[in-house]
Amino acid sequence: MDNYSQVEALISRLADPGLQRAFPSNKCIKGLEAKIENLSPLLLNSTQWSCFRYALICLRSISKEHHGDPGYI
């Protein structure tokens, strides 16, 4: 991903209700959060680091929105 728009497009697909029925997206989101949190900024350029941090913000926002939603897997 090269910019925040691409990050948002990818993350929004994870929140899609149709996709949530296909696989346990909550586990996917939590797994992605953990992997991003463990990334080293030394291994990434500034654009990559910024996009990963933004993805983490988006993932946490999705998790917060769906926390307690019985339809959310």
Side-chain angles (χ1 to χ4, degrees):
M1 294 174 276
D2 298 320
N3 58 52
Y4 291 169
S5 296
Q6 291 175 346
V7 172
E8 287 178 4
L10 178 65
I11 301 300
S12 68
R13 290 189 67 205
L14 292 175
D16 182 273
L19 190 60
Q20 288 179 15
R21 285 185 222 106
F23 70 95
S25 58
N26 192 35
K27 288 181 182 182
C28 178
I29 289 171
K30 293 297 180 189
L32 283 173
E33 285 179 18
K35 288 183 185 283
I36 292 171
E37 288 170 354
N38 290 322
L39 289 173
S40 170
L42 300 175
L43 301 175
L44 304 166
N45 66 41
S46 62
T47 300
Q48 291 169 327
W49 178 249
S50 178
C51 285
F52 277 119
R53 299 313 294 176
Y54 186 67
L56 187 59
I57 291 167
C58 293
L59 290 168
R60 288 180 177 161
S61 176
I62 289 171
S63 292
K64 190 179 228 181
E65 287 175 14
H66 293 289
H67 184 69
D69 181 353
Y72 186 68
I73 299 174

CSV table of all heavy atoms in Angstrom, one decimal, residues 2-42:
chain,number,residue,atom,x,y,z
A,2,ASP,N,0.4,2.2,-0.8
A,2,ASP,CA,1.2,3.4,-0.9
A,2,ASP,C,0.6,4.7,-0.2
A,2,ASP,O,1.3,5.7,-0.1
A,2,ASP,CB,1.4,3.8,-2.4
A,2,ASP,CG,2.2,2.7,-3.1
A,2,ASP,OD1,3.1,2.1,-2.6
A,2,ASP,OD2,1.8,2.4,-4.3
A,3,ASN,N,-0.6,4.6,0.2
A,3,ASN,CA,-1.3,5.7,0.8
A,3,ASN,C,-2.4,5.3,1.7
A,3,ASN,O,-2.9,4.1,1.7
A,3,ASN,CB,-1.7,6.7,-0.3
A,3,ASN,CG,-2.7,6.1,-1.3
A,3,ASN,OD1,-3.7,5.5,-0.9
A,3,ASN,ND2,-2.4,6.2,-2.6
A,4,TYR,N,-3.0,6.3,2.4
A,4,TYR,CA,-4.0,6.0,3.3
A,4,TYR,C,-5.3,5.5,2.6
A,4,TYR,O,-6.1,4.7,3.2
A,4,TYR,CB,-4.4,7.2,4.2
A,4,TYR,CG,-3.3,7.6,5.2
A,4,TYR,CD1,-3.3,8.8,5.9
A,4,TYR,CD2,-2.2,6.7,5.5
A,4,TYR,CE1,-2.4,9.1,6.8
A,4,TYR,CE2,-1.3,7.0,6.4
A,4,TYR,CZ,-1.3,8.2,7.1
A,4,TYR,OH,-0.4,8.6,8.0
A,5,SER,N,-5.6,6.0,1.4
A,5,SER,CA,-6.8,5.6,0.7
A,5,SER,C,-6.7,4.1,0.4
A,5,SER,O,-7.8,3.4,0.6
A,5,SER,CB,-6.9,6.3,-0.6
A,5,SER,OG,-7.1,7.7,-0.4
A,6,GLN,N,-5.6,3.6,0.1
A,6,GLN,CA,-5.4,2.1,-0.2
A,6,GLN,C,-5.6,1.3,1.1
A,6,GLN,O,-6.2,0.3,1.1
A,6,GLN,CB,-4.1,1.8,-0.8
A,6,GLN,CG,-3.9,2.3,-2.2
A,6,GLN,CD,-2.6,2.2,-2.8
A,6,GLN,OE1,-1.6,1.9,-2.1
A,6,GLN,NE2,-2.4,2.3,-4.1
A,7,VAL,N,-5.1,1.9,2.2
A,7,VAL,CA,-5.2,1.2,3.5
A,7,VAL,C,-6.7,1.2,3.9
A,7,VAL,O,-7.2,0.1,4.2
A,7,VAL,CB,-4.4,2.0,4.6
A,7,VAL,CG1,-4.7,1.4,6.0
A,7,VAL,CG2,-2.9,1.9,4.3
A,8,GLU,N,-7.4,2.3,3.7
A,8,GLU,CA,-8.8,2.3,4.1
A,8,GLU,C,-9.6,1.3,3.2
A,8,GLU,O,-10.5,0.7,3.7
A,8,GLU,CB,-9.4,3.7,3.9
A,8,GLU,CG,-8.9,4.7,5.0
A,8,GLU,CD,-9.5,6.1,4.7
A,8,GLU,OE1,-10.2,6.3,3.8
A,8,GLU,OE2,-9.1,7.0,5.5
A,9,ALA,N,-9.3,1.3,1.9
A,9,ALA,CA,-10.0,0.3,1.1
A,9,ALA,C,-9.9,-1.1,1.5
A,9,ALA,O,-10.8,-1.9,1.5
A,9,ALA,CB,-9.6,0.5,-0.4
A,10,LEU,N,-8.7,-1.5,1.8
A,10,LEU,CA,-8.4,-2.8,2.3
A,10,LEU,C,-9.1,-3.1,3.6
A,10,LEU,O,-9.7,-4.2,3.8
A,10,LEU,CB,-6.9,-3.1,2.4
A,10,LEU,CG,-6.5,-4.4,2.9
A,10,LEU,CD1,-6.9,-5.5,1.9
A,10,LEU,CD2,-5.0,-4.5,3.1
A,11,ILE,N,-8.9,-2.3,4.6
A,11,ILE,CA,-9.5,-2.5,5.9
A,11,ILE,C,-11.0,-2.5,5.8
A,11,ILE,O,-11.7,-3.2,6.5
A,11,ILE,CB,-9.0,-1.4,6.9
A,11,ILE,CG1,-7.5,-1.4,7.0
A,11,ILE,CG2,-9.7,-1.6,8.2
A,11,ILE,CD1,-6.9,-2.7,7.5
A,12,SER,N,-11.6,-1.6,5.0
A,12,SER,CA,-13.1,-1.6,4.9
A,12,SER,C,-13.6,-2.9,4.4
A,12,SER,O,-14.7,-3.3,4.7
A,12,SER,CB,-13.5,-0.4,4.1
A,12,SER,OG,-13.2,-0.6,2.7
A,13,ARG,N,-12.8,-3.6,3.6
A,13,ARG,CA,-13.3,-4.9,3.0
A,13,ARG,C,-13.4,-5.9,4.2
A,13,ARG,O,-14.3,-6.7,4.2
A,13,ARG,CB,-12.3,-5.4,2.0
A,13,ARG,CG,-12.4,-4.6,0.7
A,13,ARG,CD,-11.7,-5.2,-0.4
A,13,ARG,NE,-12.3,-6.4,-0.8
A,13,ARG,CZ,-11.7,-7.4,-1.4
A,13,ARG,NH1,-10.4,-7.3,-1.7
A,13,ARG,NH2,-12.4,-8.5,-1.7
A,14,LEU,N,-12.6,-5.8,5.2
A,14,LEU,CA,-12.7,-6.6,6.4
A,14,LEU,C,-14.0,-6.4,7.1
A,14,LEU,O,-14.5,-7.3,7.8
A,14,LEU,CB,-11.5,-6.5,7.3
A,14,LEU,CG,-10.1,-6.9,6.8
A,14,LEU,CD1,-9.0,-6.5,7.8
A,14,LEU,CD2,-10.1,-8.4,6.5
A,15,ALA,N,-14.5,-5.2,7.1
A,15,ALA,CA,-15.7,-4.9,7.8
A,15,ALA,C,-17.0,-5.2,7.0
A,15,ALA,O,-18.1,-5.1,7.6
A,15,ALA,CB,-15.7,-3.4,8.2
A,16,ASP,N,-16.8,-5.6,5.8
A,16,ASP,CA,-18.0,-5.9,5.0
A,16,ASP,C,-18.7,-7.1,5.5
A,16,ASP,O,-18.2,-8.2,5.8
A,16,ASP,CB,-17.5,-6.3,3.5
A,16,ASP,CG,-18.6,-6.6,2.6
A,16,ASP,OD1,-19.1,-7.7,2.6
A,16,ASP,OD2,-19.1,-5.6,1.9
A,17,PRO,N,-20.0,-7.0,5.8
A,17,PRO,CA,-20.8,-8.0,6.4
A,17,PRO,C,-20.8,-9.3,5.6
A,17,PRO,O,-20.8,-10.4,6.2
A,17,PRO,CB,-22.3,-7.5,6.4
A,17,PRO,CG,-22.1,-6.0,6.4
A,17,PRO,CD,-20.8,-5.8,5.6
A,18,GLY,N,-20.8,-9.3,4.3
A,18,GLY,CA,-20.7,-10.5,3.4
A,18,GLY,C,-19.4,-11.2,3.7
A,18,GLY,O,-19.4,-12.5,3.7
A,19,LEU,N,-18.4,-10.5,3.8
A,19,LEU,CA,-17.1,-11.1,4.0
A,19,LEU,C,-17.0,-11.7,5.4
A,19,LEU,O,-16.4,-12.8,5.6
A,19,LEU,CB,-15.9,-10.1,3.8
A,19,LEU,CG,-14.5,-10.6,3.8
A,19,LEU,CD1,-14.3,-11.6,2.7
A,19,LEU,CD2,-13.5,-9.5,3.6
A,20,GLN,N,-17.6,-11.1,6.4
A,20,GLN,CA,-17.6,-11.6,7.8
A,20,GLN,C,-18.3,-13.0,7.9
A,20,GLN,O,-17.9,-13.8,8.7
A,20,GLN,CB,-18.3,-10.6,8.7
A,20,GLN,CG,-17.5,-9.3,8.9
A,20,GLN,CD,-18.3,-8.4,9.8
A,20,GLN,OE1,-19.2,-8.7,10.5
A,20,GLN,NE2,-17.8,-7.1,9.8
A,21,ARG,N,-19.2,-13.2,7.0
A,21,ARG,CA,-19.9,-14.5,7.0
A,21,ARG,C,-19.0,-15.6,6.5
A,21,ARG,O,-19.1,-16.8,6.8
A,21,ARG,CB,-21.2,-14.5,6.2
A,21,ARG,CG,-22.3,-13.8,6.9
A,21,ARG,CD,-23.6,-13.8,6.2
A,21,ARG,NE,-24.2,-12.5,6.2
A,21,ARG,CZ,-24.3,-11.7,5.2
A,21,ARG,NH1,-23.8,-12.0,4.0
A,21,ARG,NH2,-24.9,-10.5,5.4
A,22,ALA,N,-18.1,-15.2,5.6
A,22,ALA,CA,-17.2,-16.2,5.0
A,22,ALA,C,-16.0,-16.7,5.9
A,22,ALA,O,-15.6,-17.8,5.8
A,22,ALA,CB,-16.6,-15.6,3.7
A,23,PHE,N,-15.6,-15.8,6.8
A,23,PHE,CA,-14.5,-16.2,7.7
A,23,PHE,C,-14.6,-15.4,8.9
A,23,PHE,O,-15.1,-14.3,8.9
A,23,PHE,CB,-13.1,-16.1,7.0
A,23,PHE,CG,-12.6,-14.7,6.7
A,23,PHE,CD1,-11.8,-14.1,7.6
A,23,PHE,CD2,-13.0,-14.1,5.6
A,23,PHE,CE1,-11.4,-12.8,7.4
A,23,PHE,CE2,-12.6,-12.8,5.4
A,23,PHE,CZ,-11.8,-12.2,6.3
A,24,PRO,N,-14.0,-15.9,10.0
A,24,PRO,CA,-14.0,-15.2,11.3
A,24,PRO,C,-13.2,-13.9,11.3
A,24,PRO,O,-12.0,-13.9,11.6
A,24,PRO,CB,-13.5,-16.2,12.3
A,24,PRO,CG,-12.7,-17.1,11.5
A,24,PRO,CD,-13.3,-17.1,10.2
A,25,SER,N,-13.8,-12.8,10.8
A,25,SER,CA,-13.0,-11.6,10.6
A,25,SER,C,-12.5,-11.0,11.9
A,25,SER,O,-11.4,-10.3,11.9
A,25,SER,CB,-13.8,-10.5,9.9
A,25,SER,OG,-15.0,-10.3,10.5
A,26,ASN,N,-13.2,-11.2,13.0
A,26,ASN,CA,-12.7,-10.7,14.3
A,26,ASN,C,-11.3,-11.3,14.6
A,26,ASN,O,-10.4,-10.6,15.1
A,26,ASN,CB,-13.7,-11.0,15.4
A,26,ASN,CG,-13.3,-10.2,16.7
A,26,ASN,OD1,-12.9,-9.1,16.6
A,26,ASN,ND2,-13.6,-10.8,17.8
A,27,LYS,N,-11.1,-12.6,14.4
A,27,LYS,CA,-9.8,-13.2,14.6
A,27,LYS,C,-8.8,-12.6,13.6
A,27,LYS,O,-7.7,-12.4,14.0
A,27,LYS,CB,-9.9,-14.7,14.4
A,27,LYS,CG,-10.7,-15.4,15.6
A,27,LYS,CD,-10.7,-16.9,15.4
A,27,LYS,CE,-11.5,-17.5,16.5
A,27,LYS,NZ,-11.5,-19.0,16.4
A,28,CYS,N,-9.2,-12.4,12.4
A,28,CYS,CA,-8.3,-11.8,11.4
A,28,CYS,C,-7.9,-10.4,11.8
A,28,CYS,O,-6.7,-10.1,11.7
A,28,CYS,CB,-9.1,-11.8,10.0
A,28,CYS,SG,-8.1,-11.1,8.7
A,29,ILE,N,-8.8,-9.6,12.2
A,29,ILE,CA,-8.5,-8.3,12.7
A,29,ILE,C,-7.6,-8.3,13.9
A,29,ILE,O,-6.6,-7.6,13.9
A,29,ILE,CB,-9.8,-7.5,13.0
A,29,ILE,CG1,-10.6,-7.2,11.7
A,29,ILE,CG2,-9.5,-6.2,13.7
A,29,ILE,CD1,-11.9,-6.6,11.8
A,30,LYS,N,-7.8,-9.1,14.8
A,30,LYS,CA,-7.0,-9.2,16.0
A,30,LYS,C,-5.6,-9.7,15.6
A,30,LYS,O,-4.6,-9.2,16.1
A,30,LYS,CB,-7.6,-10.1,17.1
A,30,LYS,CG,-8.8,-9.6,17.7
A,30,LYS,CD,-8.5,-8.3,18.5
A,30,LYS,CE,-9.8,-7.7,19.1
A,30,LYS,NZ,-9.6,-6.4,19.6
A,31,GLY,N,-5.5,-10.6,14.7
A,31,GLY,CA,-4.2,-11.1,14.2
A,31,GLY,C,-3.4,-10.1,13.5
A,31,GLY,O,-2.2,-9.9,13.7
A,32,LEU,N,-4.1,-9.3,12.6
A,32,LEU,CA,-3.5,-8.2,11.9
A,32,LEU,C,-3.0,-7.1,12.9
A,32,LEU,O,-1.8,-6.6,12.7
A,32,LEU,CB,-4.4,-7.6,10.9
A,32,LEU,CG,-4.6,-8.3,9.6
A,32,LEU,CD1,-5.7,-7.7,8.8
A,32,LEU,CD2,-3.4,-8.4,8.8
A,33,GLU,N,-3.8,-6.8,13.9
A,33,GLU,CA,-3.4,-5.8,14.9
A,33,GLU,C,-2.1,-6.3,15.6
A,33,GLU,O,-1.1,-5.5,15.7
A,33,GLU,CB,-4.4,-5.6,16.0
A,33,GLU,CG,-5.6,-4.8,15.5
A,33,GLU,CD,-6.7,-4.7,16.6
A,33,GLU,OE1,-6.4,-4.9,17.8
A,33,GLU,OE2,-7.8,-4.3,16.3
A,34,ALA,N,-2.0,-7.5,16.0
A,34,ALA,CA,-0.8,-8.1,16.7
A,34,ALA,C,0.4,-8.0,15.8
A,34,ALA,O,1.5,-7.6,16.2
A,34,ALA,CB,-1.1,-9.5,17.1
A,35,LYS,N,0.2,-8.4,14.5
A,35,LYS,CA,1.4,-8.4,13.6
A,35,LYS,C,1.9,-7.0,13.3
A,35,LYS,O,3.1,-6.7,13.3
A,35,LYS,CB,1.0,-9.1,12.3
A,35,LYS,CG,0.9,-10.6,12.4
A,35,LYS,CD,0.6,-11.2,11.1
A,35,LYS,CE,0.3,-12.7,11.2
A,35,LYS,NZ,1.5,-13.5,11.4
A,36,ILE,N,1.0,-6.0,13.2
A,36,ILE,CA,1.4,-4.6,12.9
A,36,ILE,C,2.1,-4.1,14.2
A,36,ILE,O,3.1,-3.4,14.0
A,36,ILE,CB,0.2,-3.8,12.5
A,36,ILE,CG1,-0.3,-4.2,11.1
A,36,ILE,CG2,0.5,-2.3,12.5
A,36,ILE,CD1,-1.6,-3.6,10.7
A,37,GLU,N,1.6,-4.4,15.3
A,37,GLU,CA,2.2,-3.9,16.6
A,37,GLU,C,3.6,-4.4,16.7
A,37,GLU,O,4.4,-3.7,17.3
A,37,GLU,CB,1.3,-4.3,17.8
A,37,GLU,CG,0.0,-3.6,17.9
A,37,GLU,CD,-0.9,-4.1,19.0
A,37,GLU,OE1,-0.6,-5.2,19.5
A,37,GLU,OE2,-1.9,-3.5,19.2
A,38,ASN,N,3.9,-5.6,16.2
A,38,ASN,CA,5.2,-6.2,16.3
A,38,ASN,C,6.2,-5.8,15.2
A,38,ASN,O,7.3,-6.2,15.2
A,38,ASN,CB,5.1,-7.7,16.4
A,38,ASN,CG,4.5,-8.1,17.7
A,38,ASN,OD1,4.7,-7.6,18.7
A,38,ASN,ND2,3.7,-9.2,17.6
A,39,LEU,N,5.7,-5.0,14.2
A,39,LEU,CA,6.6,-4.5,13.2
A,39,LEU,C,7.7,-3.5,13.7
A,39,LEU,O,7.4,-2.7,14.6
A,39,LEU,CB,5.9,-3.8,12.1
A,39,LEU,CG,5.0,-4.7,11.2
A,39,LEU,CD1,4.1,-3.8,10.3
A,39,LEU,CD2,5.8,-5.6,10.4
A,40,SER,N,8.9,-3.7,13.2
A,40,SER,CA,9.9,-2.7,13.6
A,40,SER,C,10.0,-1.6,12.5
A,40,SER,O,10.1,-1.9,11.3
A,40,SER,CB,11.3,-3.5,13.6
A,40,SER,OG,12.3,-2.6,13.7
A,41,PRO,N,10.0,-0.4,13.0
A,41,PRO,CA,10.2,0.7,12.1
A,41,PRO,C,11.5,0.7,11.3
A,41,PRO,O,11.7,1.4,10.3
A,41,PRO,CB,10.0,2.0,12.9
A,41,PRO,CG,10.3,1.5,14.3
A,41,PRO,CD,9.9,0.1,14.4
A,42,LEU,N,12.5,0.0,11.9
A,42,LEU,CA,13.8,0.0,11.3
A,42,LEU,C,13.8,-0.8,10.0
A,42,LEU,O,14.7,-0.7,9.1
A,42,LEU,CB,14.8,-0.6,12.2
A,42,LEU,CG,15.0,0.1,13.5
A,42,LEU,CD1,15.9,-0.7,14.5
A,42,LEU,CD2,15.5,1.5,13.3
